[in-house]
Amino acid sequence: MSPDPVRGPSFAAPGARQSALSGNGLAVASMLTWAAGFPAAEILLQSWPPVALWAARALLAVAVMVPVWIWIDGPRAVLRARWGHAVRVGGFGLGLGMFLIILAQKLTDPVTVAIIASCAPLIATLLELAAGTRRLRWNFALGVVVSIIGGLIATSAIAPAQLGLGALCAVGSTTLFCWGSMATSRDFPDLSQTGRTTITLAGGAIVASVLIGLASLAGFDIRPQRPIDTQQAGMLVIYALISLGLSQVLFIASVGKLGVALASFHINVAPFYVMVIMLVLGEEWNWTRALGAAVVALAVVLAQDRPGRQTA
């Protein structure tokens, strides 16, 4: 029995435990690489307008990933792929979502944005229920509640002045990201994980290119405020290739094994990863956020589907 591209495999099937273990491992790796982008963006946003950083991130990721995709799936698969649908999924789910998260970080700070993304499990669960790909079991519902509690515990360490428009942008970005990830995993079954990720990222890059052109025509400043030096180039590589390209490939692979709802639980641990990275860069340790991350980790364990009883 092949796994469901959205919900993941039945945990009563042979090998389901191994699939769950690998799916959770992929999700952890995805969140670690995603978290690395927040400190990088914090440095880049000191001189880059959000719209310019958004476009540069998407275009650099696609420029590197398309040749890799051609090498994996072959030129024919690339040419015959559903490009029109990819532009819709990538443009809204990843392109617009990516812009909103950059804007949210510009208005708040990296840890705040990662914490507000704690609504992802609830949003993803609602999407799966609407699509008919998940039945709401008691342990999963409990996991969603505990995950949100973990996010609220971590958010209690944030001053109210940091919320507002930035928080709304982060919630909107999380909603679009969950929908885009579910559609990416579901709607391109003939492509590899790299191909699925690349084609929707390309859709997001196309939309980014169009919007940055419109922003320029409207008179907005789309150029960095100072020349791009070695530090900025390095941060852009981390932000585009590791925090976006590699992270998204890992997350889409995780969605294929666990479903978008359960995979999204791991997003709630991202504030802890961001905090650890920021700690290395000189920020202070925050026990409240660490407690929130621990509660979210408990939620991931609670929400795992249990194997069905063996019948004689």
Side-chain angles (χ1 to χ4, degrees):
M1 181 176 64
S2 60
D4 188 297
V6 176
R7 189 185 184 279
S10 167
F11 282 76
R17 289 183 181 274
Q18 182 178 357
S19 180
L21 182 62
S22 62
N24 283 290
L26 287 165
V28 169
S30 173
M31 291 304 103
L32 281 169
T33 51
W34 182 56
F38 285 91
E42 191 75 358
I43 294 172
L44 291 167
L45 284 170
Q46 293 174 9
S47 58
W48 285 68
V51 66
L53 182 56
W54 170 46
R57 185 191 195 195
L59 291 170
L60 178 57
V62 170
V64 173
M65 293 180 68
V66 166
V68 176
W69 176 24
I70 294 173
W71 178 69
I72 293 175
D73 286 354
R76 181 173 296 181
V78 174
L79 294 174
R80 297 178 61 182
R82 301 174 61 191
W83 280 98
H85 186 56
V87 170
R88 291 190 293 272
V89 172
F92 286 99
L94 301 179
L96 182 55
M98 193 193 320
F99 174 67
L100 287 176
I101 202 166
I102 292 174
L103 183 59
Q105 184 166 344
K106 179 71 173 180
L107 296 171
T108 57
D109 64 76
V111 178
T112 299
V113 173
I115 288 173
I116 293 173
S118 62
C119 64
L122 176 60
I123 293 171
T125 299
L126 293 175
L127 288 172
E128 283 193 344
L129 290 173
T133 57
R134 177 172 293 279
R135 289 179 297 173
L136 192 59
R137 301 180 185 276
W138 71 268
N139 63 300
F140 190 89
L142 179 61
V144 171
V145 173
V146 173
S147 179
I148 293 172
I149 291 172
L152 291 174
I153 290 173
T155 308
S156 67
I158 302 174
Q162 291 180 279
L163 304 178
L165 181 58
L168 291 176
C169 289
V171 171
S173 172
T174 303
T175 302
L176 290 170
F177 175 76
C178 290
W179 172 79
S181 296
M182 185 174 71
T184 297
S185 181
R186 178 192 63 202
D187 296 348
F188 304 93
D190 297 332
L191 300 178
S192 64
Q193 302 291 1
T194 301
R196 295 177 186 181
T197 303
T198 304
I199 194 172
T200 48
L201 283 179
I206 291 171
V207 172
S209 301
V210 171
L211 291 183
I212 198 171
L214 293 175
S216 179
L217 290 174
F220 291 98
D221 187 8
I222 60 171
R223 296 174 298 179
Q225 297 174 0
R226 63 175 185 261
I228 300 176
D229 55 19
T230 304
Q231 183 194 35
Q232 290 185 66
M235 292 300 101
L236 186 58
V237 167
I238 293 173
Y239 197 44
L241 302 185
I242 297 177
S243 179
L244 177 60
L246 178 58
S247 175
Q248 187 68 0
V249 170
L250 294 169
F251 189 75
I252 294 302
S254 174
V255 169
K257 292 179 177 293
L258 301 176
V260 67
L262 187 52
S264 69
F265 275 45
H266 289 268
I267 295 175
N268 287 9
V269 190
F272 178 74
Y273 300 147
V274 174
M275 185 179 65
V276 170
I277 294 171
M278 297 298 286
L279 181 67
V280 174
L281 297 176
E283 296 289 332
E284 295 183 358
W285 178 266
N286 188 301
W287 281 107
T288 304
R289 288 170 180 164
L291 176 60
V295 173
V296 171
L298 173 62
V300 172
V301 175
L302 289 173
Q304 301 290 327
D305 287 341
R306 302 292 188 267
R309 292 187 176 181
Q310 299 295 327
T311 57

